Amino acid sequence: MVHTNDIVIVGDGFAAAVMAVHLLRKQIPASAITVIGPGQLGKGNAYTAISPAYRLNVREDLPIIFSEDPEHFARWAKAHIEDPKAQTAAGYFYRRNDFGRYVSELLSHELGAQTMHHIRSRVSRISTSGSQWQLLLDQGSTLNAKQVILATGNAPPTWPCPVFIEQSSSDWRSTHLIENPWPGHHLQSIAPDDDIILLGGGLTALDAINALVEQGHRGMVDVISPRAIFPPSQAPWQRNKEPDWPSQISPARLVRFMRNYLPSAPTNSSEWQCAWEELRPNLNRIWQQFTPGQRQRLIKRLGWLWSLYRFRAAPQTIAAYQQLQARGQFQFSVGRAKQVIACEPKVKVVLGNGTDRIGDRLINCTGVASDPLLQQLIQDQYALPDPLLQAIAVDSELKVVGPSSTWNNLWMIGPATMGSLGDVVAASAIAKQAEQLANQIKLSRLS
């Protein structure tokens, strides 16, 4: 007789770990939970980072794991982290790997003497098997599950354009063409005088810059991005009031309201960021009222601005960028990469306008890629695409939406729910989803 797992969590990063933590806090036994993911549970792509220069981009009081105890991480950090570079005028911005350690310790605490089954593998396919799910693992084995929670988090970056490799050894390629920079292993092999090309101008690029400055880099850093601008540095903001939102709101009216509400102060000022953060708590409710077409048009028109101001930078990373600027070691190349040509010892990036940039190393900082497992669920008609056509659709109870109805035993939490539910990227938002879903599962087991 084939063994059927009770609850299977797919993923090994933050979303998967906090899902397990909240299930355990609802007195669901560890023996009923199976986690599938190749890495250390709780670390994932973001918090496995080995570089001490990779920092959280939010201050210490914002990663809220437990709704009843919002200061839990701040207290833990004060007691367990020795990090003299964390403190800034805007608060404490701790190392990312220390936050990963915190999440791992939360899980260990909730487990106590219990043991939870963790399969070190990847799920390559999910299909139905009667009233259950069958999961195909990357080594070819399968397992059955009564309930599945997709908590795969952010898929690691992939090259945004074709890459042509000529006359180079595998060792050279692995250290000079960095497709996924999130772990930070590549930093150790960078020579101080190397000229570095960064594809993308967001937080990942700022992480790379901060790491380069901390290790005394002397070469040029060239950032290829559609716009010559980085996200602003975090300021010491607080929510002081709640906006008086219109009762009826369209995407155009939303944009006008936000423009009128935001002050004419600099975006890196406390005044501007206080207003911005006052707007955010209601945006998910408003987002969910819009039609799929309205959401697509809104993101197409203003998505880049949302990303710029929503994902503000740790002050340490902006200070590092300013150091490079002051020393004449930095430049923006405005455009998009059309192709990469690597021929040892140099890397060439050809831009869409026909110009090119040549450097010693290329680091892909373009951000999150498409998740193949979610795309498989769409292709096999187990799930509908979300309104932004980037992931799969979920309802307000986090149930995956199929072609004919929602599934009662397949859920998803984490950043991939953004197209359906709105701003679900921060640790606190993901933890809130995990808490909500854990409560649903507990109630269903009691009924």
Side-chain angles (χ1 to χ4, degrees), residues 333-397:
S333 293
V334 177
R336 297 182 186 273
K338 182 179 180 180
Q339 65 177 2
V340 172
I341 302 170
C343 183
E344 189 174 353
K346 294 291 183 180
V347 179
K348 180 167 73 173
V349 181
V350 181
L351 305 186
N353 61 8
T355 63
D356 58 56
R357 299 292 181 269
I358 296 175
D360 297 299
R361 296 174 192 261
L362 176 66
I363 303 175
N364 177 26
C365 301
T366 53
V368 180
S370 176
D371 189 327
L373 181 61
L374 303 186
Q375 296 305 313
Q376 171 264 312
L377 284 166
I378 295 172
Q379 291 166 10
D380 291 349
Q381 298 186 0
Y382 292 119
L384 293 178
D386 71 9
L388 299 183
L389 307 178
Q390 294 176 352
I392 61 177
V394 298
D395 68 5
S396 60
E397 294 184 329

Side-chain angles (χ1 to χ4, degrees), residues 267-335:
T267 57
N268 62 353
S269 67
S270 294
E271 180 187 1
W272 192 93
Q273 292 185 21
C274 285
W276 174 266
E277 292 298 327
E278 287 162 0
L279 291 166
R280 279 186 53 211
N282 282 289
L283 290 179
N284 284 6
R285 173 184 57 80
I286 295 169
W287 173 263
Q288 292 171 40
Q289 294 172 1
F290 294 153
T291 66
Q294 288 176 320
R295 297 183 204 184
Q296 290 169 17
R297 290 192 294 274
L298 192 58
I299 286 294
K300 184 176 181 180
R301 181 183 173 192
L302 295 172
W304 73 273
L305 268 175
W306 170 259
S307 296
L308 183 69
Y309 299 131
R310 163 65 180 84
F311 302 106
R312 298 188 298 277
Q316 295 93 329
T317 65
I318 295 297
Y321 155 59
Q322 292 169 343
Q323 285 185 49
L324 286 184
Q325 270 192 319
R327 297 199 296 252
Q329 291 176 245
F330 179 88
Q331 68 176 14
F332 268 116
S333 293
V334 177

Side-chain angles (χ1 to χ4, degrees), residues 74-326:
R75 290 198 313 275
W76 183 93
K78 187 175 181 179
H80 295 89
I81 298 178
E82 183 64 34
D83 182 6
K85 295 183 179 180
Q87 186 175 11
T88 74
Y92 287 81
F93 292 77
Y94 288 105
R95 294 176 293 239
R96 214 178 295 162
N97 53 22
D98 281 330
F99 186 73
R101 181 163 58 92
Y102 165 71
V103 175
S104 295
E105 289 194 16
L106 288 180
L107 184 59
S108 296
H109 174 76
E110 295 301 330
L111 280 170
Q114 299 182 83
T115 301
M116 188 171 63
H117 192 199
H118 181 184
I119 301 173
R120 300 296 183 105
S121 183
R122 297 182 188 277
V123 177
S124 57
R125 196 176 200 89
I126 298 177
S127 57
T128 53
S129 178
S131 61
Q132 301 174 358
W133 294 97
Q134 186 173 78
L135 291 80
L136 176 64
L137 308 187
D138 57 6
Q139 73 268 34
S141 63
T142 61
L143 59 84
N144 292 338
K146 295 178 184 177
Q147 300 175 314
V148 175
I149 301 169
L150 301 172
T152 50
N154 287 318
T158 56
W159 293 115
C161 63
V163 177
F164 302 97
I165 301 173
E166 305 172 359
Q167 300 176 8
S168 62
S169 66
S170 59
D171 286 346
W172 183 86
R173 292 196 298 271
S174 66
T175 56
H176 289 70
L177 295 171
I178 312 302
E179 186 173 25
N180 177 12
W182 290 350
H185 297 95
H186 63 284
L187 295 164
Q188 300 168 341
S189 63
I190 294 178
D193 295 309
D194 282 347
D195 290 334
I196 310 297
I197 301 175
L198 306 180
L199 289 185
L203 296 182
T204 302
L206 284 169
D207 283 339
I209 287 170
N210 193 41
L212 290 169
V213 168
E214 285 204 0
Q215 61 192 42
H217 196 71
R218 298 189 296 265
M220 280 294 298
V221 177
D222 189 341
V223 171
I224 297 175
S225 175
R227 298 170 183 87
I229 185 172
F230 277 130
S233 177
Q234 291 276 14
W237 57 267
Q238 297 291 334
R239 293 188 179 105
N240 299 315
K241 59 182 179 178
E242 184 174 343
D244 184 16
W245 290 94
S247 56
Q248 300 293 325
I249 193 162
S250 64
R253 196 173 184 187
L254 170 65
V255 173
R256 287 196 299 272
F257 181 84
M258 291 182 68
R259 282 176 174 165
N260 291 334
Y261 190 85
L262 292 168
S264 58
T267 57
N268 62 353
S269 67
S270 294
E271 180 187 1
W272 192 93
Q273 292 185 21
C274 285
W276 174 266
E277 292 298 327
E278 287 162 0
L279 291 166
R280 279 186 53 211
N282 282 289
L283 290 179
N284 284 6
R285 173 184 57 80
I286 295 169
W287 173 263
Q288 292 171 40
Q289 294 172 1
F290 294 153
T291 66
Q294 288 176 320
R295 297 183 204 184
Q296 290 169 17
R297 290 192 294 274
L298 192 58
I299 286 294
K300 184 176 181 180
R301 181 183 173 192
L302 295 172
W304 73 273
L305 268 175
W306 170 259
S307 296
L308 183 69
Y309 299 131
R310 163 65 180 84
F311 302 106
R312 298 188 298 277
Q316 295 93 329
T317 65
I318 295 297
Y321 155 59
Q322 292 169 343
Q323 285 185 49
L324 286 184
Q325 270 192 319

